[in-house]
Amino acid sequence: MSQPHQYIALVTSLPDLGKLFTRKNVPISEFRLKQRMSMLEAEHTGLLQELVEITAWAGVAKYDQDLEVIRRANQVVNDLKDYPDLQHLVGTRMETRTLIAALRRRRDGQETAGDIASWGYGRWCGRIKANWSDPAFGLGHFMPWISEAHRFLQTGDHIGMERLTLTQVFRQLDHFGALHEFDFEAVAIYVLRWVIVERWSRYNEDDARDRLATLVQAALGKGSTSGIDPAVTEFPKDNSFAFEGATS
Amino acid sequence: MNEFVVALGWFGLYAPVALGAIGSAWGCALGGSAAIGAMLDSEGGYGRFIGVSLMPSSQVIYGIVIMFSLQQSSIDAANGAALFGIGVLSGFTMLFTGIRQGEVLASAIHASKAKPEIFGISLAPAAVLEGFSVFALVFALVLAGSIPS
């Protein structure tokens, strides 16, 4: 099959994921999804793995330093040079993480943004630094979710925070997904959405509490926490991940 | 010069079939790929997916009809240009509508898999494109009647 036809067949073979938070189970298992992804071109398989790695918690968890994550994100953006929408997607995702990391740092008592270049990514670093004391870092007029996230963090509502951030990420994926129907970008966005839906479907309050306790212990044990902290959006129950590094 | 016009006439005579066949092949391949993918994710209703994916095959049939209507006892300087104009333009219409129909059918199959109740209505854009092909066919037949033989 030629490439356009191959991607038409691949995209139509993937079941609809529906709306976020509405499903108890994912409509396609990890095994089946991997099987379908074997229809991808070899080059695209590599790019998809990179994309999933940088956007999923499991992929970035192996890095100790924020700078390494930033460097890796830049590398992935560079590798995706033929796919500008995926580049924007990675950038937007990293910016969302930066905003969440900033909210956390401020909640933890940090009085200024400090050297934001060492832990932040993207367009909003300057705004975050200049508006550190503002609940939404001066971005609330077009990103109202930041104020909401600030409130959730202040009240310790982790589930609310999780839902909010996943909703934001899902909206970003919807936005870029609307631009593609039968191409590699469409497949990549589908997989990223699947990662979120699958993780939410396995979400269990008790497991999450245990996992959070483990993470906190691990973080205290290490003596430092990551600045770009995707844990709120991406903490999986275990390490059996899809696509070698994706959160499951 | 006359030989050139005669050559154009023959080109125009066969263009609806050739371009219509390309359009149909392309459109059916697009729709067929979507149908094959959809069958992987469906428990039944395979026939309807394959059925709609064959919709662009009508373009080559229209092309054949146009070719027969353009056929003359002899192609010469008097009718060569007319055959060329009607044949090539109607052929390109068949080519374009065939490809576009394949694309909208692929979208329709994809969408109706997620929401089966829209299957019928999702075929409306493909039916409209079919209508444009029919327009090209009908008016090619009308004009073919006024070509000097």
Side-chain angles (χ1 to χ4, degrees):
Chain A
M1 244 188 264
S2 67
Q3 195 181 309
H5 298 162
Q6 182 181 334
Y7 281 100
I8 290 176
L10 175 54
V11 171
T12 52
S13 74
L14 300 169
D16 182 46
L17 291 173
K19 290 180 179 158
L20 189 59
F21 309 128
T22 57
R23 282 187 182 272
K24 278 275 178 203
N25 298 302
V26 276
I28 182 168
S29 69
E30 183 183 335
F31 175 75
R32 279 262 179 255
L33 187 62
K34 275 183 174 176
Q35 216 175 29
R36 300 275 157 86
M37 290 303 130
S38 64
M39 289 166 79
L40 283 172
E41 302 275 310
E43 177 208 354
H44 287 165
T45 305
L47 287 175
L48 180 59
Q49 276 177 350
E50 282 190 75
L51 185 63
V52 172
E53 180 203 340
I54 198 63
T55 53
W57 160 241
V60 294
K62 63 187 178 205
Y63 300 110
D64 292 330
Q65 300 295 320
D66 298 331
L67 267 176
E68 290 176 58
V69 179
I70 293 168
R71 206 171 294 130
R72 182 69 186 132
N74 285 328
Q75 200 180 341
V76 172
V77 166
N78 189 46
D79 290 346
L80 290 167
K81 58 184 179 301
D82 295 331
Y83 306 98
D85 285 333
L86 293 182
Q87 285 182 318
H88 289 140
L89 184 60
V90 172
T92 309
R93 189 73 172 267
M94 290 296 291
E95 285 167 358
T96 304
R97 282 180 175 168
T98 298
L99 286 164
I100 294 169
L103 287 168
R104 286 220 175 113
R105 282 169 178 260
R106 191 173 59 190
R107 179 204 58 189
D108 294 343
Q110 197 169 310
E111 289 178 357
T112 64
D115 181 18
I116 196 167
S118 67
W119 59 267
Y121 183 100
R123 295 166 289 177
W124 314 126
C125 290
R127 295 286 284 270
I128 292 170
K129 193 167 185 169
N131 299 283
W132 186 253
S133 55
D134 183 82
F137 303 114
L139 299 165
H141 53 290
F142 68 101
M143 284 197 274
W145 68 268
I146 304 175
S147 304
E148 214 178 328
H150 168 75
R151 206 173 55 248
F152 283 136
L153 276 180
Q154 294 304 314
T155 55
D157 184 353
H158 300 297
I159 304 294
M161 182 72 186
E162 174 88 347
R163 286 183 75 101
L164 179 68
T165 47
L166 284 180
T167 303
Q168 284 312 308
V169 172
F170 221 70
R171 275 187 192 152
Q172 290 163 8
L173 293 172
D174 282 345
H175 168 74
F176 289 106
L179 306 172
H180 298 276
E181 194 174 18
F182 298 120
D183 52 16
F184 170 60
E185 287 95 325
V187 175
I189 289 167
Y190 181 91
V191 172
L192 296 180
R193 292 177 68 185
W194 180 88
V195 167
I196 294 173
V197 172
E198 204 273 348
R199 204 183 67 71
W200 184 260
S201 74
R202 295 197 346 177
Y203 193 86
N204 176 293
E205 204 172 338
D206 296 332
D207 286 348
R209 199 171 290 120
D210 293 345
R211 175 70 184 162
L212 190 61
T214 312
L215 281 172
V216 169
Q217 275 184 350
L220 290 174
K222 271 188 182 177
S224 69
T225 54
S226 180
I228 296 181
D229 189 351
V232 165
T233 58
E234 313 276 2
F235 57 85
K237 200 166 66 174
D238 58 41
N239 286 323
S240 58
F241 304 119
F243 307 106
E244 295 168 23
T247 184
S248 55
Chain B
M1 184 64 185
N2 279 359
E3 288 79 7
F4 181 65
V5 176
V6 170
L8 287 182
W10 280 104
F11 189 86
L13 184 61
Y14 194 63
V17 180
L19 296 174
I22 295 170
S24 290
W26 202 324
C28 287
L30 292 169
S33 300
I36 291 165
M39 286 191 289
L40 279 174
D41 183 43
S42 308
E43 296 301 322
Y46 305 140
R48 65 178 190 168
F49 290 137
I50 288 293
V52 297
S53 75
L54 299 179
M55 215 168 153
S57 53
S58 56
Q59 272 76 7
V60 67
I61 298 169
Y62 299 155
I64 292 169
V65 173
I66 293 170
M67 185 198 72
F68 280 123
S69 72
L70 292 177
Q71 206 171 17
Q72 307 290 318
S73 52
S74 70
I75 296 176
D76 52 32
N79 58 22
L83 294 175
F84 178 77
I86 298 169
V88 168
L89 291 177
S90 59
F92 272 115
T93 306
M94 299 307 157
L95 172 69
F96 192 75
T97 53
I99 295 169
R100 292 298 182 196
Q101 205 172 44
E103 289 173 356
V104 294
L105 285 170
S107 298
I109 290 169
H110 184 45
S112 61
K113 204 165 55 68
K115 217 173 176 186
E117 65 270 23
I118 64 163
F119 182 72
I121 194 76
S122 70
L123 298 178
V128 170
L129 284 166
E130 188 71 26
F132 295 146
S133 298
V134 172
F135 284 156
L137 165 71
V138 169
F139 290 101
L141 296 182
V142 169
L143 287 177
S146 56
I147 295 174
S149 52

